Amino acid sequence: MNRRDFLKSALTIAALAPVTHIAAAESSTKSRSPKDQTGKVTRRRYKNTSLTLPLLGFGMMRLPRLNPDKPEIDEAVARKMVDRAMEAGVNYFDTAYPYHDGQSEIFVGKALKKYPRNSYFIATKMWPQLLKTEADIDRMFQHQLQKLQTDYIDFYLIHALDKRLWPKAKSLKVYEYLLNQKKAGRIRHLGFSFHDEPEVLAEIVGERSWDFAQIQLNYVDWELYRSREQYEILTKAGIPVVVMEPLRGSSLATLTPRCLEIFRKANPGVSAASWALRYVGSLPNVLVTLSGMTLPEHLEDNIRTFTDFQPLSSAERETIAEVIRAYHNTGAVPCTNCKYCMPCPVGVEIPRIFGLYNSYKTSGDYRRRFGRIYAEFEPDAMASACVNCGACAKKCPQHINIPAELKKIHTEYEARTQKTAYLWKDVTEYLA
């Protein structure tokens, strides 16, 4: 089947095809009685089994923190969010060995301990980046079971595969080890998360048998990050898709005034985040849409979006297309704040710099959103301290040319600073 024929197939239909709703015991929301409408999020069936998963999953990488600059989780707030999620049927929790400097899995184990083990799904990951020998694989896996306080993982992934880590994972026989754990009942479903080009994805899909796959997908990355092609490869292979970064590291929840105006005009009562999440959920082969929810209000908004989920209409797709056109005019850096680039060998605060710069680019407020804050950075933390070693770019899942972006940002900063100094000098001379 060539690409044109594939795009016409019933599996993809269109970029935003209608979705079949699946509740826990019903295949259509229309058939539900008033008694069944309990505020639970819509669920999707896993392949042709009786297993259903919530269309909204709880990503445990951006949990509330006691201090925004440190990894310690605000467990009091996070536990309440987990309880609320369970109440609403959001019972898929996605964590990983390195999240929150290793604390995320520990928190998940503690927070879910009071619930029956068959009432929720845990997804966690093994990162080949951290492995040196085959013995490390078993050490990491056993440590995860211990931290999560469980004797099996529902959805287990080889983490962040790309053209560099896939050969390493194969040489260490990571897949073979995990497959044996699946046969022993300690893993229920085996998959991988992915950060690379579609050609690499096709290679990974073709070389092993997978139960599911996790990719980055949102309305900006559908074309920019070639997520469309990734989605098509997995759909054609019959592999259900779990989506990460549907909000692109929250950037699609905090858009430019122009983008927000477009959304408000179309539907004033709906958040920008809801639009982005519905975009992803409207794709028929998406099994779970992960959202890293830092605040309780994020969770509540997402629950509203996915309760009795409604796919985007044709008019709503046109609205998003208009927003995409406006978004591409901002000049923001396509950073999702995953922090895989850190630590920088010389101390440059890469994600923070990109976050501030993007805040300025999407808001138009240079002084308050970037200039004034950036000026207070220590010299070693500024973009100008970059020595162009390229270590960060090699680790970036978005394939950003980080040194080039840092140079661009600091050049703009210096130009604005010099202009401000010149204007101030002119004013002081006039006043004198």
Side-chain angles (χ1 to χ4, degrees):
M1 178 184 290
N2 62 32
R3 187 172 187 274
R4 177 174 295 177
D5 290 336
F6 177 70
L7 288 173
K8 292 178 180 178
S9 72
L11 290 173
T12 53
I13 304 174
L16 295 171
V19 172
T20 300
H21 298 276
I22 299 178
E26 302 289 343
S27 61
S28 170
T29 55
K30 293 180 180 180
S31 64
R32 278 192 272 168
S33 67
K35 183 178 179 180
D36 293 322
Q37 298 178 13
T38 57
K40 302 283 188 180
V41 300
T42 295
R43 303 182 75 83
R44 287 245 170 100
R45 193 176 303 282
Y46 176 75
K47 295 187 176 180
N48 294 319
T49 71
S50 61
L51 177 67
T52 66
L53 278 73
L55 189 49
L56 171 64
F58 201 146
M60 313 301 278
M61 187 174 80
R62 297 185 174 98
L63 291 167
R65 302 182 181 215
L66 293 171
N67 184 320
D69 297 322
K70 295 181 180 180
E72 285 76 17
I73 299 165
D74 186 340
E75 293 199 10
V77 175
R79 280 176 180 268
K80 290 180 180 179
M81 293 176 67
V82 168
D83 291 341
R84 176 67 181 108
M86 287 291 291
E87 178 186 35
V90 183
N91 62 343
Y92 185 101
F93 299 90
D94 174 88
T95 182
Y97 195 80
Y99 289 178
H100 282 272
D101 284 3
Q103 296 181 37
S104 177
E105 289 178 323
I106 296 172
F107 168 76
V108 171
K110 291 190 293 185
L112 294 176
K113 190 64 177 176
K114 66 181 180 181
Y115 295 100
R117 182 61 186 88
N118 63 356
S119 67
Y120 57 83
F121 304 100
I122 293 176
T124 194
K125 314 174 187 78
M126 180 172 292
W127 197 12
Q129 177 83 11
L130 303 177
L131 304 173
K132 294 182 179 179
T133 68
E134 290 186 33
D136 290 337
I137 304 172
D138 184 66
R139 175 192 58 79
M140 185 181 292
F141 184 75
Q142 298 301 331
H143 191 203
Q144 288 178 297
L145 292 177
Q146 179 185 353
K147 291 197 296 180
L148 290 163
Q149 301 187 50
T150 184
D151 56 5
Y152 71 93
I153 308 296
D154 301 278
F155 289 83
Y156 198 92
L157 304 91
I158 305 177
H159 190 34
L161 288 183
D162 57 18
K163 61 184 176 183
R164 178 176 58 93
L165 288 181
W166 177 231
K168 180 179 181 180
K170 287 193 292 184
S171 68
L172 291 174
K173 300 180 180 178
V174 175
Y175 178 91
E176 287 73 15
Y177 171 88
L178 297 176
L179 186 61
N180 285 333
Q181 294 296 332
K182 179 182 175 182
K183 291 176 181 177
R186 288 184 282 273
I187 291 174
R188 300 294 169 85
H189 303 89
L190 178 57
F192 64 95
S193 63
F194 179 78
H195 289 288
D196 211 324
E197 301 294 314
E199 292 78 9
V200 181
L201 177 62
E203 177 186 338
I204 295 172
V205 168
E207 292 185 358
R208 298 290 188 276
S209 177
W210 305 98
D211 298 322
F212 70 106
Q214 187 167 306
I215 61 171
Q216 177 175 321
L217 194 158
N218 52 68
Y219 60 72
V220 170
D221 289 324
W222 185 249
E223 299 296 345
L224 181 64
Y225 196 65
R226 300 177 69 188
S227 296
R228 172 202 286 267
E229 296 172 63
Q230 296 178 35
Y231 174 83
E232 290 169 353
I233 289 168
L234 295 170
T235 301
K236 184 178 180 181
I239 300 174
V241 174
V242 175
V243 170
M244 57 184 162
E245 301 293 355
L247 301 181
R248 220 167 192 271
S250 82
S251 66
L252 300 186
T254 55
L255 294 163
T256 66
R258 172 57 185 151
C259 291
L260 293 175
E261 179 187 352
I262 295 169
F263 278 143
R264 279 196 295 266
K265 184 177 179 181
N267 192 335
V270 175
S271 69
S274 181
W275 281 91
L277 292 171
R278 286 181 62 211
Y279 178 97
V280 172
S282 295
L283 290 161
N285 192 37
V286 169
L287 182 65
V288 178
T289 304
L290 297 174
S291 179
M293 298 171 276
T294 306
L295 301 174
E297 46 264 42
H298 297 163
L299 175 60
E300 293 300 333
D301 186 47
N302 291 351
I303 289 172
R304 284 192 295 272
T305 297
F306 285 98
T307 299
D308 191 19
F309 181 80
Q310 299 297 319
L312 293 170
S313 66
S314 297
E316 288 172 324
R317 291 197 293 271
E318 288 300 321
T319 296
I320 287 183
E322 186 179 356
V323 168
I324 292 171
R325 290 190 289 270
Y327 182 89
H328 281 309
N329 291 327
T330 65
V333 181
C335 172
T336 64
N337 195 35
C338 70
K339 297 184 174 65
Y340 288 175
C341 59
M342 297 297 282
C344 167
V346 296
V348 178
E349 294 192 28
I350 300 167
R352 190 178 177 208
I353 292 170
F354 287 168
L356 290 170
Y357 185 75
N358 287 349
S359 179
Y360 140 57
K361 281 295 184 179
T362 55
S363 69
D365 189 342
Y366 173 82
R367 187 179 69 86
R368 288 192 299 176
R369 296 295 184 94
F370 182 78
R372 188 171 63 184
I373 302 171
Y374 184 66
E376 297 176 355
F377 275 37
E378 294 294 329
D380 288 346
M382 300 184 87
S384 56
C386 173
V387 296
N388 201 32
C389 69
C392 53
K394 293 177 182 177
K395 295 184 286 185
C396 177
Q398 312 305 319
H399 307 293
I400 299 169
N401 187 339
I402 294 175
E405 292 291 347
L406 290 173
K407 182 178 180 180
K408 178 190 75 174
I409 290 170
H410 198 77
T411 298
E412 183 174 347
Y413 167 74
E414 287 185 324
R416 281 181 169 269
T417 301
Q418 290 173 4
K419 182 179 180 180
T420 301
Y422 175 80
L423 292 173
W424 181 247
K425 179 176 180 290
D426 193 48
V427 169
T428 54
E429 286 179 351
Y430 173 79
L431 292 174

